[in-house]
Amino acid sequence: MTMKSAAARAALVGGLLLTGTSLASAETLTFWMLNYSSQASADIWAKLVSDFEAANPGTKVTIVNRGTDDHKTAIRVAAGTDKGPDIYFMWAGLGLGGEYVKAGLSLPLDKYYEKYKWDDELMPAALSFSRMYAGGRHGVPSTFRGEALYYNKALFEKAGITSLPANYDEMVASAEKLKAAGIPAITFGGTVNWHVMRLMDVILESKCGAEKHDALKEMTAKWSEEACAAASFTELEKWGENYILSPFMGIDDSQAFNLFVADRAAMVLEGDWLVGMLDEAGKLDDIDFFPFPTGTNRLYGFADYNYVSSKSKNPDLAAKFLDYLASTPVQQEALGSFGTTSVNKNVVYGEMRPLDKKWLDVFNTYSEVYLNGDQAFPLDVTTEYFRVINEVVSGNMTPADAVKAMQTFIDNKG
């Protein structure tokens, strides 16, 4: 949707106009975020900021862009000082966004959720992350990504799989059918630690259930004492031995994708962004997907969030700007600039690829989400999680030793 003027935008967005503000008493907002992914992304951000400033005379919004590592460093420094941005970008979850919530950098937004009725306007799955933290709701979703199993329809048919697995045991049975037919069940790139991690995450959700899985990732339950944790590593070991296309530890995620589209493996565990890649590869008609059948009715995924800083001098204005960004007219105008789908459930889509439409239906169906391990854990625990997973899936560490290693590392954190 293209706005014809700043005035038209103000009328559509409603409630954004800040009256009685002069240039001499300008209100300012500083927004720290990652570098733009493309020139098109930079252009749409410039327009959105310009339009907001025009609709709110006397307001100045400054965007500060940094690379990922520099951004994380800047946020950590801000958490320990009395200065910082009004709004900052961070991935949602207990281990990334949660690190700064615990540090007191994020302002609880409960009153703004009520004022702006974000629960009525935004997707339930994307909003679920705002409820993860103690002491109130934090952050507003900017993007949401889901992950699921993409599968080759012809290879499933060749293996005699006539219906999609409805639970974890049926999932393993399908992998066994593929193996019996001489078809590797799934492909991963082991050189990027997070790729194989996805398999461990979905197994943990399946074997431990939602509550215990969350407790393990929150480090409030002991890995060495929860039987489901050892059982999950046993399952991971089984997948590594029997169902993952080998050798996988010497390839990366892009190579795994190339093997998948070359019909070398029946499945890949990937995100909604894969639809565009499949389209470019000419494989859209050959592939479908389904959420991993964990039995918990939670979707595997992650979100990007914008948080209001507790150090902001203008928290009301910061919340207004986030409401503006999340609003239906702005999300409609920016549709396609930051992803194929919007976090705003009122956005109207034009012609969509069938798999994009299916993802949109999935996003609007699930109200609860479980996180990728590298977003649930703090960075140092993530590194150990990667190491242990790689050792188990490569056959170099037993499941019993894996849970001990995880718990020992966590205990030694102090």
Side-chain angles (χ1 to χ4, degrees), residues 1-16 327-330:
M1 179 177 181
T2 300
M3 309 303 299
K4 294 183 178 180
S5 67
R9 176 184 296 283
L12 277 169
V13 175
L16 286 172
S327 67
T328 302
V330 171

Side-chain angles (χ1 to χ4, degrees), residues 257-330:
F257 170 75
N258 290 334
L259 291 167
F260 176 62
V261 296
D263 302 333
R264 295 283 301 280
M267 292 181 288
V268 66
L269 181 50
E270 276 289 356
D272 57 289
W273 56 84
L274 201 75
V275 176
M277 297 171 65
L278 291 169
D279 195 359
E280 291 177 3
K283 295 290 287 186
L284 274 183
D285 293 339
D286 305 325
I287 307 298
D288 203 343
F289 76 87
F290 59 97
F292 197 100
T294 62
T296 63
N297 201 33
R298 299 202 301 180
L299 182 65
Y300 187 41
F302 60 94
D304 299 337
Y305 262 49
N306 295 320
Y307 296 81
V308 176
S309 171
S310 59
K311 304 176 192 300
S312 174
K313 300 294 193 297
N314 288 309
D316 289 344
L317 183 61
K320 278 183 177 288
F321 185 62
L322 293 185
D323 181 60
Y324 162 81
L325 292 178
S327 67
T328 302
V330 171

Side-chain angles (χ1 to χ4, degrees), residues 8-89:
R9 176 184 296 283
L12 277 169
V13 175
L16 286 172
L17 189 59
L18 304 178
T19 59
T21 304
S22 68
L23 292 176
S25 58
E27 293 190 275
T28 61
L29 284 179
T30 303
F31 188 169
W32 289 2
M33 58 186 290
L34 297 183
N35 289 332
Y36 300 122
S37 59
S38 65
Q39 186 57 49
S41 177
D43 291 344
I44 189 66
W45 267 106
K47 184 178 188 306
L48 294 180
V49 167
S50 176
D51 287 351
F52 182 80
E53 291 172 341
N56 295 273
T59 296
K60 174 65 177 175
V61 179
T62 300
I63 304 291
V64 178
N65 303 96
R66 296 183 177 94
T68 300
D69 291 338
D70 289 342
H71 177 71
K72 289 179 179 178
T73 298
I75 296 293
R76 287 194 182 99
V77 171
T81 70
D82 59 355
K83 296 181 180 179
D86 295 285
I87 304 169
Y88 63 91
F89 160 90

Side-chain angles (χ1 to χ4, degrees), residues 334-360:
L335 185 63
S337 299
F338 311 126
T340 56
T341 57
S342 168
V343 294
N344 187 303
K345 63 185 181 184
N346 298 319
V347 163
V348 177
Y349 294 84
E351 185 176 351
M352 299 180 73
R353 294 170 297 204
L355 290 187
D356 284 329
K357 176 63 168 64
K358 185 172 182 177
W359 268 116
L360 185 61

Side-chain angles (χ1 to χ4, degrees), residues 334-394:
L335 185 63
S337 299
F338 311 126
T340 56
T341 57
S342 168
V343 294
N344 187 303
K345 63 185 181 184
N346 298 319
V347 163
V348 177
Y349 294 84
E351 185 176 351
M352 299 180 73
R353 294 170 297 204
L355 290 187
D356 284 329
K357 176 63 168 64
K358 185 172 182 177
W359 268 116
L360 185 61
D361 292 341
V362 167
F363 291 153
N364 285 319
T365 297
Y366 285 84
S367 60
E368 295 185 58
V369 176
Y370 63 103
L371 272 172
N372 294 49
D374 57 353
Q375 299 201 27
F377 282 130
L379 180 58
D380 56 348
V381 182
T382 292
T383 301
E384 179 66 2
Y385 187 51
F386 285 162
R387 184 188 74 84
V388 172
I389 288 170
N390 290 344
E391 290 292 285
V392 171
V393 78
S394 300

